[in-house]
Amino acid sequence: MKFTCLSKGGGFHFPPCHVLNVCGFRILFDCPLDLSALTIFSPVPTGYRAVVDEKDSDCQPYSTLDSDCVTWKRQKIGKPLDANDLICAVPWYKIVKYLHLWNVSFIDVVLISSPMGMLGLPFLTRIKGFSAKIYATEVTARLGQLMMEDLVSMHMEFRQFYGPEGSTFPRWMEEEELDLRPSALREVVLGKDGAELGGWMPLYSAADVKHCLQKVQTLRYAEEVCYNGKLVIKAFSSGLEIGTCNWSINGPKRDIAFISSSIFVPAHAMSFDYHALQGKDIVLYSDLSSLDTMEGIEDGYSFLTTDSFSTLSWEESAQSLLNTSEHLEEREKLYYLCSCAADSLKASGSVLIPINRLGTFIQLLEQISASLESSSLKVPIYVISSVAEELLAYTNVIPEWLCKERQEKLFSGEPLFAHVELIKDNKLHVFPTVHSPKLLINWQEPCIVFCPHWCLRLGPVVHLLHRWSGDPNSLLVLESGHDAQLALLPFQPMEMKVLQCSFLSGIKLPKILPLLNVLQPKITLLPEDLRQKVRFTNVNPFSVFHYSENKTLIIPSLKDSSELEIATDLAFQFQWRNLKHENMNITRLKGELHVAHGKHWLHSGNKPSKSNSSKSRPLLHWGTPDLETLLSILSKMGINASVEQGVGVEGSKKACIVHVHDPKKALIEIGDTGTVISAVDENLASLIFEAMDSILDGI
């Protein structure tokens, strides 16, 4: 088995991507987009700002590079970044950095763990020769579809502003143009090793999205699907978002659990079903969210070792995983965010929240509306997105994918989420675009607006930031983990207050070892970055391998052979033969081999077997016969023979020839690779064969 990490990703919106080679099949785990790279582009100017930019900025569609322009740009390279350094062109999109180096036609299976891990999938499905089977949960496929359609819709604004894209590489990707870019932007384009330029692609179309979804086979949690008769694949809840999952892969020689970013006790989605992953031979641990939280931690941070948990029982380890402290911390963050929003509203400022996490968005919507109700503030809440109406409607018809608390609301006759009542009471207003006529009629300030996109380059957020960036009473809520300075560059000077929040995105560091203690695998694969943070002693019950980006890790096989189930009627036909030179019994079988659901079966088939009627004759022999023993046995059969020793190059043995003189002529040629019996008389040939059979091992 081989495992290759193509990308460690970058937080919630850019999950890791891996390739697993097992049982001769290549499996790709997730195919995300690095949308944080869009910050190198300038957003489309809006309103009066477009007029100002056209007069005072050099940020215009590309023209010829004359010498004066080159000299001017070289002078700017060493200066701090400003809005004029951003690329003014239709954006291209960055896929996983090493994926473009692989021949995707060799990929057999794609497993999608989350909607975020699906955003780059149309780039693969539109490639000629790509024929992999794609699996995702029903909700992940639907949410991924809405996210891709929204991305295509927002991208259209760039095409309308700059015109249709050319068929060649854009000007900003040329080497001489990149050399003139500030180092910070150049690193985003090329990567630290300069190998990421090939990962940039023009965005897919709505037709590409539709074509992609036709290739996706959707699953429910714990639903079993068998690929090519060998791999049994199941999806189990990861708790990160509604519909996100971890994967179980059962094969003939090993059972594998793939763990993506997971949350044990989420407030909206179904809980992390780690019980379904117990007892697997191999755990592929791909939750790298704890690496983001470790940034900036001092060297004095207390490391985790297996000694810390060696005394814990299975029950104690499982109980520690369900600690609700994380849930309470997330609630406190929401309370604090709501209090900051209320302060801005009281000062007649507006609140802009471009957070695209579905679960966080729903909880914020509920908490903010409750906060407004209790504080007697009467301000409208707007949700502006091309897919907002479909998204909110969809969340209310999937109760079986939600946590138990939400499901209980359904049984008590309450709506699953608060947005149903908010829309009914005209407290929440949903519009497809910022220019919707109904929105312009309904618009009031101050207000609260939820809209895409968190990268601050696409969608309604650009228009609203241009409107409120100079208002010191207004509030912008951003998710931490991204370069806020670069993201806000086009909107400087920025007087608007900015609140950066971090939300739980996976398994925290202290819970990794208790989880492995509960799962009890034989082999665990962890990212290299966790080697110094999670230390294993010699007494831990499983082997640990650490993986790095773009390096293939070879995992030893746990079983030397596959198991074979034999039909009862065939088992009664066994005729055991004791090998002469090995302490082993062996028999020959004839039947039909079937491979399905990762198991091998041997059935008798339609043709009746004749093995019971008479002793079966060996069809294959191996070894070299002892010449003295052979001559002795032939002599007892009344066959007179003599040996002629053949000689090879430089005196080495080449072949032995046994001449049979009586009762009739025959020849036995004994070589390194086989023995040949040549006789005119068939009965004599049969006797010689019996003599050889008595000496050699055969079946």
Side-chain angles (χ1 to χ4, degrees):
M1 188 182 91
K2 297 180 180 179
F3 181 81
T4 306
C5 174
L6 300 183
S7 169
K8 294 186 298 184
F12 176 88
H13 298 287
F14 186 39
C17 178
H18 313 281
V19 172
L20 175 68
N21 195 324
V22 60
C23 295
F25 303 116
R26 280 184 178 174
I27 302 175
L28 176 68
F29 291 98
D30 293 312
C31 186
L33 285 181
D34 184 7
L35 294 178
S36 65
L38 289 178
T39 52
I40 66 172
F41 295 95
S42 177
V44 172
T46 59
Y48 76 93
R49 183 66 66 98
V51 179
V52 175
D53 288 345
E54 187 177 350
K55 291 180 178 179
D56 302 335
S57 172
D58 68 307
C59 187
Q60 299 177 20
Y62 285 104
S63 57
T64 57
L65 271 178
D66 54 36
S67 57
D68 293 337
C69 179
V70 171
T71 304
W72 179 81
K73 287 189 175 181
R74 288 191 186 279
Q75 292 174 350
K76 291 195 65 181
I77 291 178
K79 295 183 179 180
L81 279 174
D82 60 38
N84 293 331
D85 294 317
L86 300 177
I87 298 171
C88 296
V90 176
W92 278 32
Y93 292 76
K94 193 176 183 184
I95 62 170
V96 174
K97 57 184 175 183
Y98 294 116
L99 184 58
H100 68 280
L101 302 177
W102 288 65
N103 187 340
V104 297
S105 63
F106 292 153
I107 296 174
D108 300 293
V109 179
V110 180
L111 300 181
I112 303 297
S113 306
S114 67
M116 296 72 68
M118 193 175 179
L119 296 185
L121 201 54
F123 288 123
L124 296 187
T125 55
R126 71 182 184 183
I127 295 176
K128 186 178 181 180
F130 178 82
S131 59
K133 194 71 176 179
I134 305 169
Y135 298 105
T137 66
E138 293 176 2
V139 176
T140 289
R142 180 58 178 151
L143 295 181
Q145 176 186 1
L146 293 175
M147 291 175 67
M148 290 187 287
E149 289 174 351
D150 196 30
L151 187 62
V152 171
S153 174
M154 292 185 290
H155 181 79
M156 282 302 299
E157 193 169 11
F158 281 98
R159 290 181 174 172
Q160 291 168 357
F161 183 79
Y162 290 106
E165 297 177 74
S167 58
T168 59
F169 282 115
R171 184 68 177 273
W172 59 268
M173 293 182 70
E174 296 178 3
E175 183 178 356
E176 58 270 19
E177 186 65 35
L178 288 173
D179 288 341
L180 300 176
R181 292 287 167 187
S183 58
L185 299 187
R186 198 163 56 245
E187 184 175 318
V188 174
V189 176
L190 300 175
K192 293 182 179 180
D193 55 0
E196 299 179 22
L197 185 63
W200 290 88
M201 297 183 182
L203 188 63
Y204 40 76
S205 64
D208 292 328
V209 174
K210 184 178 180 180
H211 175 68
C212 169
L213 290 165
Q214 290 173 347
K215 293 179 175 290
V216 178
Q217 179 174 339
T218 59
L219 305 172
R220 302 181 72 82
Y221 285 147
E223 180 181 348
E224 183 179 288
V225 64
C226 185
Y227 177 78
N228 205 31
K230 285 191 175 182
L231 300 180
V232 178
I233 300 171
K234 295 181 183 179
F236 296 98
S237 174
S238 67
L240 179 67
E241 271 291 359
I242 304 174
T244 58
C245 68
N246 297 316
W247 294 98
S248 165
I249 306 170
N250 296 344
K253 294 187 178 181
R254 55 181 67 83
D255 296 338
I256 302 167
F258 177 81
I259 300 179
S260 61
S261 296
S262 305
I263 297 178
F264 289 96
V265 188
H268 61 294
M270 190 177 289
S271 299
F272 175 19
D273 186 5
Y274 58 89
H275 296 289
L277 306 179
Q278 286 180 251
K280 301 296 182 183
D281 298 320
I282 300 173
V283 167
L284 307 179
Y285 189 84
S286 181
D287 186 344
L288 308 184
S289 58
S290 58
L291 301 179
D292 300 325
T293 60
M294 291 191 305
E295 293 182 2
I297 295 177
E298 299 179 358
D299 294 336
Y301 184 82
S302 58
F303 300 109
L304 296 174
T305 64
T306 49
D307 292 335
S308 310
F309 301 93
S310 59
T311 58
L312 289 180
S313 65
W314 185 93
E315 291 79 7
E316 290 172 327
S317 296
Q319 190 62 35
S320 67
L321 298 177
L322 301 178
N323 191 313
T324 58
S325 60
E326 294 176 353
H327 181 64
L328 296 175
E329 288 177 12
E330 293 303 296
R331 274 187 166 278
E332 290 177 1
K333 292 177 186 177
L334 296 180
Y335 289 145
Y336 178 71
L337 196 156
C338 291
S339 66
C340 293
D343 292 340
S344 292
L345 294 171
K346 291 175 182 177
S348 298
S350 294
V351 180
L352 181 58
I353 309 177
I355 292 179
N356 296 98
R357 294 188 184 213
L358 178 59
T360 304
F361 158 64
I362 289 174
Q363 293 177 71
L364 264 177
L365 199 56
E366 293 177 337
Q367 194 58 48
I368 286 180
S369 61
S371 177
L372 293 177
E373 192 73 30
S374 61
S375 64
S376 69
L377 285 170
K378 303 295 182 182
V379 296
I381 302 175
Y382 299 106
V383 178
I384 307 174
S385 168
S386 63
V387 297
E389 188 173 350
E390 290 180 80
L391 181 62
L392 292 175
Y394 184 67
T395 57
N396 218 43
V397 295
I398 49 172
E400 67 274 23
W401 298 85
L402 306 178
C403 63
K404 291 182 179 179
E405 291 76 8
R406 299 283 179 178
Q407 292 180 7
E408 289 173 358
K409 287 189 173 184
L410 177 69
F411 298 127
S412 62
E414 300 178 45
L416 294 174
F417 299 103
H419 59 73
V420 176
E421 294 295 333
L422 292 175
I423 294 175
K424 188 182 297 184
D425 296 337
N426 286 325
K427 295 179 180 179
L428 176 64
H429 310 276
V430 182
F431 298 99
T433 66
V434 75
H435 299 301
S436 300
K438 291 183 179 179
L439 172 62
L440 298 178
I441 296 172
N442 185 277
W443 184 261
Q444 297 179 33
E445 292 187 25
C447 60
I448 301 172
V449 180
F450 292 88
C451 64
H453 188 268
W454 56 266
C455 70
L456 308 187
R457 294 296 181 269
L458 300 164
V461 68
V462 174
H463 300 262
L464 296 174
L465 268 179
H466 281 315
R467 181 180 182 87
W468 292 331
S469 60
D471 182 6
N473 294 323
S474 291
L475 174 67
L476 171 65
V477 180
L478 294 178
E479 187 174 347
S480 59
H482 305 288
D483 189 345
Q485 184 177 358
L486 181 59
L488 293 171
L489 197 60
F491 310 101
Q492 299 294 345
M494 188 79 174
E495 297 184 27
M496 191 179 186
K497 290 179 290 187
V498 179
L499 175 63
Q500 281 191 278
C501 303
S502 64
F503 300 100
L504 187 62
S505 299
I507 301 172
K508 286 192 173 182
L509 191 64
K511 290 192 175 183
I512 295 177
L513 285 177
L515 175 62
L516 296 177
N517 189 33
V518 170
L519 298 182
Q520 290 293 308
K522 296 182 178 67
I523 295 176
T524 300
L525 272 64
L526 292 172
E528 180 65 34
D529 307 70
L530 287 178
R531 183 189 291 270
Q532 298 301 322
K533 300 298 180 183
V534 183
R535 296 177 179 175
F536 295 88
T537 63
N538 295 328
V539 297
N540 60 286
F542 48 83
S543 302
V544 179
F545 294 85
H546 293 88
Y547 60 84
S548 303
E549 276 188 346
N550 205 31
K551 292 183 179 179
T552 299
L553 194 63
I554 300 177
I555 310 302
S557 178
L558 297 173
K559 298 178 184 177
D560 295 330
S561 59
S562 301
E563 295 180 356
L564 175 66
E565 294 187 13
I566 302 174
T568 306
D569 56 342
L570 281 179
F572 282 118
Q573 299 173 16
F574 288 170
Q575 293 183 8
W576 295 104
R577 181 184 178 98
N578 185 31
L579 298 184
K580 301 174 180 62
H581 304 293
E582 296 182 50
N583 186 22
M584 184 187 299
N585 290 330
I586 191 169
T587 186
R588 188 172 77 235
L589 286 175
K590 183 178 181 181
E592 294 182 358
L593 180 64
H594 297 269
V595 181
H597 294 274
K599 294 183 179 181
H600 296 76
W601 288 279
L602 189 65
H603 299 284
S604 57
N606 297 325
K607 295 182 179 180
S609 176
K610 299 180 180 180
S611 58
N612 286 334
S613 58
S614 62
K615 184 178 179 181
S616 60
R617 180 180 179 180
L619 300 176
L620 176 67
H621 293 84
W622 57 89
T624 303
D626 182 75
L627 296 179
E628 292 184 4
T629 305
L630 177 60
L631 292 177
S632 175
I633 293 174
L634 291 174
S635 178
K636 292 177 181 179
M637 292 179 173
I639 300 173
N640 182 21
S642 62
V643 177
E644 176 187 339
Q645 187 73 48
V647 180
V649 181
E650 297 181 358
S652 63
K653 289 185 179 180
K654 182 178 181 181
C656 293
I657 300 176
V658 178
H659 293 276
V660 176
H661 309 288
D662 293 318
K664 292 183 179 181
K665 298 288 185 180
L667 197 67
I668 306 172
E669 296 178 83
I670 304 173
D672 294 334
T673 59
T675 299
V676 180
I677 301 172
S678 303
V680 177
D681 186 76
E682 185 177 347
N683 292 330
L684 178 60
S686 297
L687 290 174
I688 297 173
F689 181 84
E690 289 179 14
M692 298 291 289
D693 181 43
S694 64
I695 299 173
L696 299 175
D697 285 326
I699 184 172

